[in-house]
Each structure stands twice: as structure tokens, then as C-alpha cells.
Amino acid sequence: MINIAVLGYGTVGSGVVEVITTNKESIARRIGDDIRIKYVLDLREFPGSPIEDILVHDFDTIINDDEVDIVVEAMGGINPAYSFAKASLEHGKSYCTSNKELVAKYGPELLELSEKMNKNFLFEASVGGGIPIIRPLNQSLTADEIMEITGILNGTTNYILTKMSKEGLDFDTVLKEAQDLGYAERNPEADVEGYDACRKIAILTSLAYGQHVDYEDIYTEGITKISDVDFKYASKLGRVIKLFGKSKRAGDKFFAMVAPFMIDDNDPLYSVNGVLNGILVKGNVLGDVMFYGSGAGKLPTASAVVSDVVDAAKHKNTHIMQIWSSKKLELSDVGEAQSKFFVRMTGTADAKLEEVTEAFGDVQVINVENVTGEFGFVTGVMTETEFTQASEKVAGIITRIRME
Ligand code: HSE
């Protein structure tokens, strides 16, 4: 019998209970042993709910119970998750979590501890919700050098950008709608400012290169400045705007960034719409491989968490190797990153083209019907630093969006 304890009975925690209850037999078959949820920890009471009899409020009950093999954490945030993770591993219990804040900050330390204890620290659900991406990076794409990872890693922002693109609505209107539907949090900052995607690309990049990427080193720009007018230009160019988490290896340099990009339909991520996520990985021998599916939500996320539980149960006394050392991966200066840029500028192209060309070199001018007092242009490929320097030579830039 494998006994588990679930920390947190919110959206994901209750999803974990539901998945294990619904698929108990097939999960047991895959593990080769029965599985039981022995405890659910939450500060709240849940009278009349199916977990009423196994609900506990004190974490010590769980760590001091030698029968508990696996602790599943679905609380989010660093505190108390970090101390719960450490205590669980120190008490010889594997720890499975969907908590990207915890994994991005303490991944290497907790992996090291799990190795020392011959247990497992698993976090499939921390990136891409129900999409398998952590296990493929650790166990499947092992013949390749990973050259590039590009992901739509945040369902909330992808929902907002998709709605803006398809319905011509402005950011505030769509955000409000997303909140009313329960997709976006009441405090949507982590999603719309790109912080959530930042932690996720930090985790993926650390696993791809085996060294720790500090998410605070990643240049991060959210979607709050994207407007309905930007989408009019995008549409004229046959493009959409997506929030990408990107990392790239160029020789011995590593780049990482979170920012909105204007992409065309040659990009495999072009059709990843709504709350769905997509992650494109480029290997040096494999080429492109794409992972696509439900990046958030109760049951998809719980499905990924339970897949970790199955793995931990199958490897009860074996540490599954995941290479992510605490040695820091030094990211190159984002100023060296290259792309084309779409730029909106006040005035008319007729009056300003000479000035623009002098600063940016040859550009492609875009005018959009019913948008007056401004025009758009697309630069050639240039570095971030070159773009900044060119921008300082001209007046009237309204906004700029990177292009792939
Ligand atoms: N807020 C996240 C999203 C949840 O919208 O993708 C999943 O990590």
C-alpha cells in the first residue's frame, strides 16, 4: 500500500483527490500496489465533504507518520511550502508539487536533498499544467543538446491575447471578462506582468542545461501595454501576438527572455489559442518537437501531479536522476539578443521615413485603415542594444513589439 498526504485542498489539491479517486484502479495497476490518500492538510474545515475524515490541520501529523510515503503539495508560494518540502524529504518521504515558485527558487537544493535521502522531488505540474514537459526533458530528449525552448507558458495571458486578437477588444475589457470567468486571478499581476511565465522558462532552461537559472536574471515584459491597435497592425501583417518565454543557446552563450512577440503562421505556436499552452523545443539532432495541451486548470494540473505520484511510488527506494545543479547558469546580456521589431510612431510615414531610415536602416512601412495620427514600421534584424540606440535618435515612438 502506498500512502499519500495532500497539502492544500484548493483547486489543484482537490483535483488530485478527484483524479486518484476516479482512476484508483488503473493507477494501482500502473504502480503495482494499492494507493490510499491517508491525509489532506488544510487550515479550513470541509464539513460534509469526502475528505472530512482524513482532514488534518497539523503538518507534524503527516511527517511523523512513517506510513506516509509521498507528500503531494498543491498550495503554491514559498512559505510554508519550502519548509514542508525539506521536512518531508528529511523524513524519508518523496515530494510531488505543482508549485513553480518553490521549484524555480529551491529546485536544485531540494533535488540534492532528495538524492541524499534516496527519495524523489518531482514537479511535472509546475510548468505547462497537464502537458508532459519536465519528464520529456529529463528522460526523453537526452540524446540532444537543447538549442532553444520557446513556450506559451501562461494560460491566462494566452486567453487574453487570443480574445483581443479575434474580437478586437481592448486589454482591460478582456482581463475583466477573464476574471469573471475565473481564468484570471483577482490580482492578475503574476500572469499579466509575465512573472509566472518567467519562473516556468527558468525551470525549463535549468533542466535543459543542467545548471541553475535564476529567474531574477531573466528579462521579463508582460502584456499590459499591448493594445487593440497593436492587433490591427498584427492583423494587417497576417500575424498574432503571443507572450513567449524563450531561452536559447548560441555557442557558449545563453539567452532567456519573457516578452510579447508578433508571429506569423509559419510559427508552430501560432495556433495555440485560448487557455492552452504550447512549448516548442529545438534539439541539435532531433530538430523541433512541440508539446501542446491544457496548461492550467484543476484536473489537467492534477493529472500531472498524480503522474509524479505514480513515478514516486514506482521508485519508492530509488532516486530518479534529474540534472539541475546549484551552479548558476550565467545568462548573456539581453542587449545582445536579436530580433526584428515592429514599431508604432506618431505622425505620418511620408513625413518621417527619412528620419526613421537614418536611425533604423531600411524598414517596411505599415499603415492601417481607421488608425490615424500614427504609422507602423518593421525593422530588419537588430540587437536590443542597437534598437535602443536607434530609438533614441527619433521622436514619437508609441510602442514596439519583437517579431520572430
Ligand atoms: N496562472 C497560471 C496560468 C496557472 O494562467 O497559466 C498555471 O500555472
Side-chain angles (χ1 to χ4, degrees):
M1 172 73 76
I2 300 290
N3 285 293
I4 74 164
V6 179
L7 312 182
Y9 196 61
T11 308
V12 178
S14 61
V16 168
V17 173
E18 190 176 330
V19 169
I20 291 178
T21 310
T22 309
N23 291 345
K24 200 167 184 150
E25 281 170 22
S26 60
I27 290 168
R29 237 186 354 264
R30 290 195 168 99
I31 295 174
D33 202 346
D34 285 337
I35 182 165
R36 170 169 70 138
I37 302 171
K38 188 162 184 189
Y39 302 110
V40 171
L41 176 87
D42 204 291
L43 293 173
R44 299 164 292 180
E45 301 291 344
F46 296 93
S49 91
I51 56 131
E52 200 178 4
D53 295 341
I54 54 170
L55 184 67
V56 292
H57 302 300
D58 184 1
F59 181 64
D60 285 348
T61 313
I62 292 168
I63 46 165
N64 292 327
D65 184 338
D66 289 340
E67 275 189 5
V68 174
D69 303 294
I70 301 167
V71 174
V72 173
E73 181 251 309
M75 302 181 306
I78 297 291
N79 290 313
Y82 172 61
S83 51
F84 286 179
K86 268 181 83 165
S88 299
L89 291 166
E90 279 163 356
H91 282 76
K93 303 173 194 315
S94 286
Y95 197 82
C96 304
T97 181
S98 57
N99 184 338
K100 64 224 144 196
E101 291 97 344
L102 176 73
V103 178
K105 198 165 169 68
Y106 293 109
E109 180 187 326
L110 295 169
L111 278 172
E112 203 176 301
L113 178 59
S114 69
E115 185 174 8
K116 188 172 134 208
M117 299 304 299
N118 206 27
K119 294 292 162 189
N120 287 293
F121 175 65
L122 300 172
F123 43 89
E124 182 58 72
S126 64
V127 181
I131 306 171
I133 180 64
I134 304 290
R135 206 163 281 112
L137 275 178
N138 282 326
Q139 293 176 20
S140 311
L141 302 175
T142 45
D144 276 68
E145 293 281 346
I146 305 298
M147 304 312 292
E148 210 170 316
I149 301 175
T150 307
I152 294 174
L153 299 168
N154 182 269
T156 305
T157 47
N158 203 41
Y159 173 85
I160 293 172
L161 293 174
T162 304
K163 271 261 173 182
M164 289 175 78
S165 178
K166 290 191 187 304
E167 296 177 22
L169 299 170
D170 64 72
F171 176 80
D172 291 332
T173 307
V174 182
L175 174 61
K176 165 120 197 0
E177 206 177 298
Q179 286 173 322
D180 291 346
L181 285 167
Y183 292 145
E185 306 279 342
R186 285 288 140 202
N187 177 1
E189 192 186 7
D191 292 318
V192 298
E193 296 294 356
Y195 307 150
D196 175 82
C198 172
R199 280 159 181 79
K200 290 171 175 169
I201 194 67
I203 294 169
L204 296 182
T205 310
S206 298
L207 289 172
Y209 302 117
Q211 284 179 230
H212 184 57
V213 174
D214 184 342
Y215 63 83
E216 290 185 21
D217 290 348
I218 299 177
Y219 174 82
T220 300
E221 199 179 297
I223 65 162
T224 50
K225 295 197 184 87
I226 301 292
S227 76
D228 48 337
V229 181
D230 296 330
F231 276 101
K232 292 189 174 149
Y233 285 97
S235 167
K236 180 90 188 270
L237 287 161
R239 288 175 177 255
V240 292
I241 303 168
K242 297 288 184 193
L243 182 68
F244 277 175
K246 281 179 82 67
S247 63
K248 189 174 180 164
R249 175 183 199 155
D252 55 4
K253 292 189 171 183
F254 297 89
F255 296 93
M257 177 188 281
V258 174
F261 279 77
M262 246 193 213
I263 57 170
D264 66 19
D265 61 2
N266 291 313
D267 192 313
L269 295 165
Y270 178 90
S271 304
V272 176
N273 286 323
V275 288
L276 293 166
N277 283 191
I279 303 155
L280 184 66
V281 180
K282 201 182 276 295
N284 69 332
V285 286
L286 169 75
D288 286 348
V289 61
M290 182 151 138
F291 301 83
Y292 169 76
S294 302
K298 177 176 169 170
L299 292 178
T301 309
S303 160
V305 175
V306 176
S307 78
D308 280 346
V309 171
V310 171
D311 223 5
K314 280 164 69 179
H315 298 90
K316 203 172 162 184
N317 294 306
T318 324
H319 174 71
I320 304 165
M321 176 103 122
Q322 300 185 74
I323 302 173
W324 179 352
S325 88
S326 51
K327 185 164 177 251
K328 190 170 166 181
L329 186 77
E330 292 298 341
L331 296 176
S332 293
D333 180 359
V334 77
E336 293 178 44
Q338 292 187 323
S339 65
K340 288 183 182 179
F341 290 84
F342 161 75
V343 184
R344 279 172 54 205
M345 183 176 253
T346 55
T348 64
D350 283 348
K352 286 197 163 169
L353 191 56
E354 203 179 315
E355 188 192 348
V356 165
T357 311
E358 199 152 299
F360 291 92
D362 284 343
V363 297
Q364 175 197 354
V365 171
I366 307 118
N367 283 301
V368 172
E369 260 176 58
N370 301 326
V371 175
T372 53
E374 63 169 85
F375 66 103
F377 64 88
V378 177
T379 71
V381 174
M382 58 203 304
T383 66
E384 295 275 331
T385 303
E386 285 164 350
F387 179 81
T388 306
Q389 286 165 351
S391 306
E392 283 160 6
K393 294 183 192 153
V394 292
I397 291 185
I398 301 167
T399 191
R400 55 97 183 86
I401 301 171
R402 294 165 186 85
M403 287 178 95
E404 286 249 300

